[in-house]
Amino acid sequence: MSDTESKEAKKYKKMLEAPVKPLIASLALPSIISMLCTSFYNMADTYFVSKIDTASTAAVGVTFATMAIIHAIAFFFGIGSGNSISRLLGAKKRPEAETMASTSFLYTFLCGLLIAVLGNLFAPQLATLIGSTPTILPYAVQYMSVILVGAPVMMSSLVMNNHLRFQGSAAFAMVGITIGGFLNVFLDPLFIFQFRLGVAGAAYATILSQFVSFCILFCMTRQGANIPIRFRNMHPSWPILKEIVAGGAPSLIRQGTQSLSTIFLNVAAGGFGDAAIAAMSIVTRLSFFAASVIIGFGQGFQPVCGFSYGARKYGRLREGFWFAVKAGTLFALLAAAVAIVWAVPILGEFRNDPLVISTGEQALRAQAMTFFLVPLTILTNMCLQTTRKTGGAMLVAAGRSGLFLIPTLLVLPRAFGLTGLVWSQSVSDLCGFLLAAVLIRKFFQKLPEK
């Protein structure tokens, strides 16, 4: 047996025989770090740009919708192919997994090039569409135009990150993302203030950091028993695309509806002024930062879920799911307590504007009240998606950020003014939780006990 085959055998045994709770914890920790560093890209931009003025802060918040679209398509390819890779490895079909990894990488890079070209051709129109006001528009175009240029690299990095996670190599994925995240925090003040590039400087810092992450992740795919990206394994075909669509559609729906709801949020907040847009954008970034930890728990569970489902070890799948839900809920309660008690000081770190802090305080505390419901919703989506229950996964994915949030944003601000705006996400969280609870109960009822 070669060294590579020996490493593959050890990984296979670990994923299917190691105690579930310690295994998920060991996979979740680097995944959590990766997710937190990914959110740093956006959090750092918001933090340093907020030191310029309120309009610039609002501009970065508005263009978060563009970033969400880029992430949506990247996660569509990355998780769609990653789900398939984990099941194929669980069924001991490595050659097919290698073809899936390289082909999905090719699809992603080409799609990123298309986004970069079309996005820059219509940057002003796109910025207006996603909620820019006339005072915000120039800053939004500056930031967004640069970000769009980096779309191919940004999307390909996220795909390789997901591939490594689904192979049970979350630590390798963490290295590339973490280095890029810290680099972005260092480059932001350098480009924004030292080089006096303003909002555009934040975007340059982001894409440069993403390029470094791309290079590191590409090297990580060639370490250990991981599946490398190779040109000879790129075989575009309908069966591969179909498999990616089946596994990635829920992620596309989740991220896509999040992007769409961000646009509706910007438009709804715009009725209350630029300060409201800035406040809601800061709260959105803070919520995403906290949710990153819960998503990290889910990402630690997903490879265990995929391997267990592929090997028909359903008891192992059940145990892993409920452990991840309990751990995520415990963290959510702690995060909510911090947000409720220290809402004003936290917001003051981003923008020392009384109007921004006043609106943000209400929104942050409102979201904290229902944040403990989020873990079950996220874990249900990931479980259904990994086990190829595409319909249910898409429904849960669309629920929290689309089916429920968009209608509340259309109705509540008009009926209750600013109070309705800040409570919209909480109402959506409650509805999404109820939907997820029903679907995961049905899933486990149909799943064989052994």
Side-chain angles (χ1 to χ4, degrees):
M1 180 182 292
S2 67
D3 183 57
T4 300
E5 289 173 336
S6 175
K7 290 179 180 178
E8 291 174 17
K10 288 180 180 178
K11 179 180 287 187
Y12 182 83
K13 183 177 181 180
K14 180 185 79 170
M15 295 302 296
L16 292 176
E17 296 181 16
V20 173
K21 294 179 182 179
L23 177 60
I24 291 179
S26 67
L27 294 172
L29 181 59
S31 293
I32 290 170
I33 294 173
S34 295
M35 284 301 304
L36 289 175
C37 287
T38 299
S39 68
F40 271 150
Y41 285 116
N42 295 320
M43 186 73 75
D45 287 357
T46 301
Y47 177 80
F48 289 109
V49 168
S50 69
K51 305 304 179 185
I52 303 175
D53 53 42
T54 298
S56 297
T57 307
V60 173
V62 164
T63 53
F64 184 65
T66 306
M67 293 283 285
I69 293 171
I70 293 173
H71 284 186
I73 299 172
F75 277 106
F76 165 72
F77 286 110
I79 295 181
S81 56
N83 283 323
S84 178
I85 288 169
S86 67
R87 291 196 304 270
L88 289 169
L89 291 176
K92 294 187 175 181
K93 297 180 179 179
R94 185 177 175 89
E96 290 89 338
E98 291 177 346
T99 299
M100 174 61 72
S102 295
T103 304
S104 62
F105 177 89
L106 175 64
Y107 284 144
T108 307
F109 195 85
L110 293 177
C111 190
L113 287 175
L114 183 63
I115 290 173
V117 173
L118 293 179
N120 272 292
L121 283 176
F122 303 101
Q125 295 89 334
L126 180 58
T128 302
L129 180 65
I130 61 178
S132 291
T133 63
T135 54
I136 293 173
L137 184 61
Y139 304 105
V141 172
Q142 286 180 43
Y143 183 81
M144 188 169 61
S145 296
V146 178
I147 288 294
L148 287 168
V149 171
V153 169
M154 190 182 304
M155 292 168 62
S156 300
S157 295
L158 289 171
V159 166
M160 289 187 288
N161 177 51
N162 278 288
H163 286 177
L164 289 167
R165 286 195 306 99
F166 277 98
Q167 294 173 66
S169 298
F172 286 92
M174 176 190 69
V175 173
I177 297 296
T178 302
I179 292 175
F182 280 111
L183 181 61
N184 191 41
V185 173
F186 171 76
L187 292 178
D188 261 336
L190 184 67
F191 283 20
I192 294 172
F193 304 116
Q194 190 67 31
F195 296 162
R196 298 183 179 181
L197 294 174
V199 174
Y204 283 120
T206 296
I207 63 169
L208 181 57
S209 302
Q210 290 279 4
F211 179 74
V212 172
S213 290
F214 173 89
C215 295
I216 295 172
L217 287 167
F218 190 82
C219 293
M220 291 295 104
T221 63
R222 285 168 153 68
Q223 302 299 313
N226 296 318
I227 296 174
I229 303 298
R230 291 196 175 105
F231 184 78
R232 68 170 182 264
N233 290 330
M234 295 178 181
H235 303 294
S237 66
W238 169 242
I240 290 178
L241 184 59
K242 183 179 178 181
E243 185 67 24
I244 292 173
V245 171
S251 290
L252 183 63
I253 294 295
R254 181 178 64 250
Q255 298 284 123
T257 52
Q258 182 181 15
S259 177
L260 188 61
S261 65
T262 301
I263 295 172
F264 276 88
L265 178 62
N266 292 333
V267 173
F272 302 97
D274 288 357
I277 297 178
M280 296 307 295
S281 69
I282 292 171
V283 171
T284 299
R285 302 296 174 93
L286 289 169
S287 299
F288 177 75
F289 186 76
S292 296
V293 177
I294 299 170
I295 294 171
F297 278 116
Q299 291 178 344
F301 162 70
Q302 277 184 302
V304 176
C305 178
F307 271 81
S308 300
Y309 193 77
R312 300 178 184 275
K313 292 197 171 188
Y314 303 123
R316 189 174 177 82
L317 191 158
R318 291 173 189 271
E319 183 183 358
F321 176 82
W322 290 114
F323 169 70
V325 169
K326 291 174 183 177
T329 302
L330 178 60
F331 168 78
L333 289 170
L334 293 174
V338 171
I340 291 172
V341 175
W342 288 290
V344 174
I346 291 172
L347 291 163
E349 287 295 318
F350 287 85
R351 187 71 193 152
N352 189 22
D353 183 328
L355 288 176
V356 172
I357 293 176
S358 175
T359 303
E361 176 189 1
Q362 297 176 58
L364 186 58
R365 286 177 172 160
Q367 291 192 26
M369 296 297 290
T370 56
F371 193 60
F372 73 98
L373 302 175
V374 173
L376 178 70
T377 306
I378 291 177
L379 268 297
T380 296
N381 173 244
M382 290 181 166
C383 180
L384 296 177
Q385 183 175 5
T386 304
T387 55
R388 217 173 183 277
K389 301 297 183 286
T390 308
M394 289 176 64
L395 190 58
V396 175
R400 179 173 181 258
S401 297
L403 293 177
F404 303 125
L405 181 56
I406 292 175
T408 57
L409 286 171
L410 290 173
V411 174
L412 294 186
R414 294 180 181 179
F416 303 102
L418 186 60
T419 301
L421 175 68
V422 301
W423 279 96
S424 293
Q425 183 67 68
S426 300
V427 173
S428 177
D429 285 345
L430 176 60
C431 295
F433 170 83
L434 295 174
L435 173 63
V438 171
L439 292 179
I440 197 63
R441 183 171 182 271
K442 289 184 177 180
F443 170 76
F444 283 126
Q445 284 177 337
K446 294 180 181 180
L447 196 69
E449 289 293 331
K450 296 183 180 179

